[in-house]
Amino acid sequence: MEKDKILIINGVNLNLLGTRETSIYGNQTFEQYFEELKNIFPQFELVYFQSNVEGFLVDKLHEVGFSYRGIVLNAGAYTHTSIALADAISAINTPVVEVHISNIYKRETFRHKSFLTAYCEGIVSGFGLKSYAMALHYFL
Amino acid sequence: MEKDKILIINGVNLNLLGTRETSIYGNQTFEQYFEELKNIFPQFELVYFQSNVEGFLVDKLHEVGFSYRGIVLNAGAYTHTSIALADAISAINTPVVEVHISNIYKRETFRHKSFLTAYCEGIVSGFGLKSYAMALHYFL
Amino acid sequence: MEKDKILIINGVNLNLLGTRETSIYGNQTFEQYFEELKNIFPQFELVYFQSNVEGFLVDKLHEVGFSYRGIVLNAGAYTHTSIALADAISAINTPVVEVHISNIYKRETFRHKSFLTAYCEGIVSGFGLKSYAMALHYFL
Amino acid sequence: MEKDKILIINGVNLNLLGTRETSIYGNQTFEQYFEELKNIFPQFELVYFQSNVEGFLVDKLHEVGFSYRGIVLNAGAYTHTSIALADAISAINTPVVEVHISNIYKRETFRHKSFLTAYCEGIVSGFGLKSYAMALHYFL
Amino acid sequence: MEKDKILIINGVNLNLLGTRETSIYGNQTFEQYFEELKNIFPQFELVYFQSNVEGFLVDKLHEVGFSYRGIVLNAGAYTHTSIALADAISAINTPVVEVHISNIYKRETFRHKSFLTAYCEGIVSGFGLKSYAMALHYFL
Amino acid sequence: MEKDKILIINGVNLNLLGTRETSIYGNQTFEQYFEELKNIFPQFELVYFQSNVEGFLVDKLHEVGFSYRGIVLNAGAYTHTSIALADAISAINTPVVEVHISNIYKRETFRHKSFLTAYCEGIVSGFGLKSYAMALHYFL
Amino acid sequence: MEKDKILIINGVNLNLLGTRETSIYGNQTFEQYFEELKNIFPQFELVYFQSNVEGFLVDKLHEVGFSYRGIVLNAGAYTHTSIALADAISAINTPVVEVHISNIYKRETFRHKSFLTAYCEGIVSGFGLKSYAMALHYFL
Amino acid sequence: MEKDKILIINGVNLNLLGTRETSIYGNQTFEQYFEELKNIFPQFELVYFQSNVEGFLVDKLHEVGFSYRGIVLNAGAYTHTSIALADAISAINTPVVEVHISNIYKRETFRHKSFLTAYCEGIVSGFGLKSYAMALHYFL
Amino acid sequence: MEKDKILIINGVNLNLLGTRETSIYGNQTFEQYFEELKNIFPQFELVYFQSNVEGFLVDKLHEVGFSYRGIVLNAGAYTHTSIALADAISAINTPVVEVHISNIYKRETFRHKSFLTAYCEGIVSGFGLKSYAMALHYFL
Amino acid sequence: MEKDKILIINGVNLNLLGTRETSIYGNQTFEQYFEELKNIFPQFELVYFQSNVEGFLVDKLHEVGFSYRGIVLNAGAYTHTSIALADAISAINTPVVEVHISNIYKRETFRHKSFLTAYCEGIVSGFGLKSYAMALHYFL
Amino acid sequence: MEKDKILIINGVNLNLLGTRETSIYGNQTFEQYFEELKNIFPQFELVYFQSNVEGFLVDKLHEVGFSYRGIVLNAGAYTHTSIALADAISAINTPVVEVHISNIYKRETFRHKSFLTAYCEGIVSGFGLKSYAMALHYFL
Amino acid sequence: MEKDKILIINGVNLNLLGTRETSIYGNQTFEQYFEELKNIFPQFELVYFQSNVEGFLVDKLHEVGFSYRGIVLNAGAYTHTSIALADAISAINTPVVEVHISNIYKRETFRHKSFLTAYCEGIVSGFGLKSYAMALHYFL
């Protein structure tokens, strides 16, 4: 029997996780962490995608947004500026959970505003990499 | 004798036409509609381009903007945020007609503002897919 | 077989087209241009009406607004002040296309506001007299 | 013996009653309702007038305003914009009762303002077609 | 030899002159006064027009505005609200003198504003019916 | 039989008419123009007074303001600042007509305000020296 | 033995007292009232002066302001606008009492402001003609 | 050979010089100082004029303003309030130098504003009576 | 021995240099100028990258930002809007020099604001194409 | 017998007089003009000092400020910013006259403000180089 | 053949370079660095000047500003306060390049404002001592 | 054994102490007071410096600021305007104590602001000349 598919999608600059600021995040890359996630959620087929291009993130949402079970999205800095991503979330059928590694409400004021939250199922923010695991729980 | 070339260029999320909300737009994709347009305007060589990437839209405007007869542009959500597209329209020689499928003046207030209109010949908004045909008429 | 009827309706001061400012618009009257339109759209029975009286414009919208195939409306200065015309458009069944000869978004700020657009199918603005032909295209 | 004459006067777009939105108002036209009114008020000679032209409403008020017993006026959208009608009411001798089918104070803010009320005997608003009968009671 | 033609044009509610408030204005109608004007100014061919319809006033301005020697305009309440009339004055060639029977600067603040004065030669306000004769003097 | 007397009164700096800016006003002095006025209005005994002194203007208004038939007043710059002149006009019986050579509504905003108009019969503004003749017409 | 001299000085428009609005003030002129004042205050040599010219009021203050016992000043409308009078009061030695017939604080806001009060001994306002007698009491 | 004429003109309250506050200015009147000025500037024919009347100052400016070589003007308190004087300076041909005995920038804020400076050649302020001699130097 | 690598990176619309506005910039393309730069700086291995895609600019910064000696960045219109680019500069190790062809402090106010400067080593603005050579000097 | 000494002191950028903008000021340097001044005022020993250094201007004011007869100061741009110069003028005994070549009240608003005037005897502004001669006159 | 001369001019506190904070800047003085610059730019005759005195900087700009090829100016703290320096740059002919050692846009907000940039060719800011070499490049 | 050196440095206008306003400060010059200070603090080698030139004060701070034990600084009026002095204090190693003879917080508001205090050890203000002795105590 086929498992439900869930996309984890990381936006701009998030490909650098594990490479920089290793004293904070450890030297684990997101790819390594992704292996852990697969162990924690064996009931899902997890798929990973990252891009720094706003438009490619839109492309990916379109591609999986009519067949997958769920999407976990960390858009990085585009969270605060992209109406295009908001529209893409609104256009697809698959439910999206917004994720942030840091607590964006503890940071600069301009990072308090998210164009995406209103179109997502909900938001998980501030738990480090664990935020992704928590978001995936939603789809259990 | 060579025909005048006209570019029809669609921006972000517009690749979903015909796939979603088919009860509204029918199950005709823009590609199918494009075939109709070619039949309606046999005097032009129509070229079609779509991208979800703001920069690829700029690329395309540059590519054709010094040789084509005209451009019909629906920038989608970038209409309301992109200074880069406005600058590109201003930099090229080919006249641009702004097009919207929906009547943007019936929607949220923030969609009433277009960075592009002041640099275009004019605007055609609200006629569904027919907006494109109407815009093409300008180049007859 | 009877053709679909379409009304072209011009509002206040637009009867002076072709008479004044001929260096801009040429010395073609709207009546002459109307003959051209009939040649371009032989599939429609085009009807023309012009009045400087706000109420007669309302009357005409009522008269044809339950039987005609479409209405192309350039209300002139009433565009910016008439709630009555907006209500009339809202009350009838025939779809109305708003038309402007100039690109009103390139002009004085107070001309950016239209009471009518929200009740029309859409708007065609900025293409000179061709705006009418483009608007008619919608009804093909 | 001659009966007192009372004019019922309907303004812009009100000629469409009974034709549109029949699920709300039934398919009774105002002319049909007017027959009922004549039965209810046999002591008056009721006269009916409707026009979409602001100036013709003024004309009619002038015509009857020095001889009739009363006037029941529903000016439609002109209620909110016409200083000319206010001046006409002020100029004549016959008392005028302002009438609205819907409760204008439950609608958009701009419909709360009436230029006419200050010059009328009073206002009846919100009782559907019955508003006219209630207004006529004033003249008993 | 043909005399110069001058149009005297009265707007909304001004047809009631001589009929109401006769204790103030006497029982002379404007038509009677117009006969006097013809006697006072035998060197002109005076033409009179009155309408309560804003659009008919525009029509008349268009009709005479390219051949007559002058226009004397009292727009009544439309003075304070009509952009259409202002545009019409601006579009024609014949010079227009704005006239008011009462001194509008003694009345409500909203009557101090005229949309028309900036497009007219000048203004004559406050002299009763004589304001018209005074205005005609300008064309001697 | 004695003729009715009418005072024409010019305020501050108006004695320079005909001396300066002759390319605009011609080299006719007001005194010369006054002779013309006497020919045009033989039925009146016209009296002329000019002063640059605010108080002498008040004196003159008092002197003739209980016996003369009328006063034609151009107060020059005092129009915009003198409460004393406004009070004098209010105190006398003779009707006063306010006159301006230029159309003050086409000039600087601070010249739109007149302390005098509300106390005068009316205003004639914008017709050059003819403004005086037009004002005198009021007293015929 | 010579009596102390006191000047009563009336400003702009106050020469009209007793001539106009006799239903309010009676038909007594200020000159008649001045005779009464002389009877009430036989211990003073009262002197009276009136002018409508701001500068002549200044002249008079200079003339008596180094020898008289006191000055009673009603400057009329100049009260609210004349810095020159304020300076004159400040320059002379004779004490000045400001007087007003009406209660200026009950009138229009712009009449609440007096440039003079700060340089006078005091102010008496609102007691009709009796205000002058009350002011003279100060010099007893 | 005739000498160039220069007018020295003093405004309101300046006739008191030498009479009051003699401990400050000495007991020299302006007339005595004027004799000194004539000795200092034998190359000019100096003319002196003083008035407390704003309008007489305007009169004098007109009288000499088309033939004299220069004008030295101390308008006193009218400096801060008179648009009429500013207009008069603007209307004449003779250049005007603004003069003040005291340093007006050491005094109350409202005396820092001069309506006249912008229309004068320049300003000399603060040197006591010598300000006049300094101003005359300009015309050498 | 290997030379240090330096990336020159041009953002949106800057590929049009040399093609348009040749009267200002000459008809030299940036590619031609790049050849000159290589001659001027033989000690470096210069690499050129241009893209109109915001995300590709981010990609490129990531790609070279941990190994190259330096980056010279002209982001074009993204300078004023892209938080993503600012974050990318902040995330990498290679020092970045911001460059502008024009002096942005002499232009529209909204071009004075740069999201990037605070994260760069410094800024070179206003020297035409020479700005790039000047920036490269930093890495000598 | 020794003559009274007077210092003429020019501040920042004023050493360029006669060198630049010679079409306005002529090609006469201040040094040449200074020779003329010595001829005009043989009764004084004139001393000239110029510096672009704010502190040297203060030094010089101290040096001569207890023995010289007078100081003529044109501080240039320091006029609008230097509290130190204002304090120095306040500290010394020698009277200072502020001088400006142009009429600073005809220029930008920020040049209307002088920190120095309140501490000087007075100001001479607007007479070109003659302003200096006029200022020297004060010390006669 | 004579080489073009270029002045490098350092303002207030910049003489301390190399003496303090040597861990940051090394123990190289500007004088030592200047020798390097001469080696790097053998085609120019470089001249160096430093002063802590605002006026001496003005002096130097005047001295070389009509003959040198270029000026490289780091005004230090005077950048943010000196109108006198801005005026001096504006008065001379030689082009000036503004230089800062630190990136002033990373520092306190009040250091973001420069009075000088608008009068200079351009700005080089943030590259340590190398900023000077980069600026000199402009004159090649 | 060598004593610690301490610099007492006085800024603009402070060289005048003892020369002016001797009724307040006595006729003791600062040099005389300085002798007293040397007696009170035999343990220090006191050095005195005064200049009116902002830049020379900076020079002196640089000269002693890396070897002396302490600096007592009264900058006079530059306290309120000089960022350059603030930077100099920040750049040197020797601790600086800010001193004022008067209590600057009792004076004009603009003297409450000191650019220097934030970079000094502390401030002593208001104790007359004793302020200097009190400041020296800090270095005991």
Side-chain angles (χ1 to χ4, degrees), chain I residues 48-97:
Chain I
Y48 178 55
F49 181 77
Q50 191 276 337
S51 177
N52 292 321
V53 181
E54 182 184 8
F56 288 173
L57 299 170
V58 171
D59 283 348
K60 195 53 130 185
L61 290 173
H62 290 175
E63 178 190 324
V64 311
F66 299 91
S67 62
Y68 273 40
R69 169 78 178 84
I71 297 170
V72 173
L73 168 65
N74 181 349
Y78 294 140
T79 303
H80 316 301
T81 63
S82 177
I83 298 172
L85 277 168
D87 285 0
I89 294 166
S90 164
I92 61 178
N93 296 333
T94 303
V96 179
V97 175

Side-chain angles (χ1 to χ4, degrees), chain L residues 86-102:
Chain L
D87 284 1
I89 294 167
S90 163
I92 61 178
N93 297 332
T94 304
V96 179
V97 175
E98 183 180 351
V99 159
H100 299 284
I101 294 171
S102 65

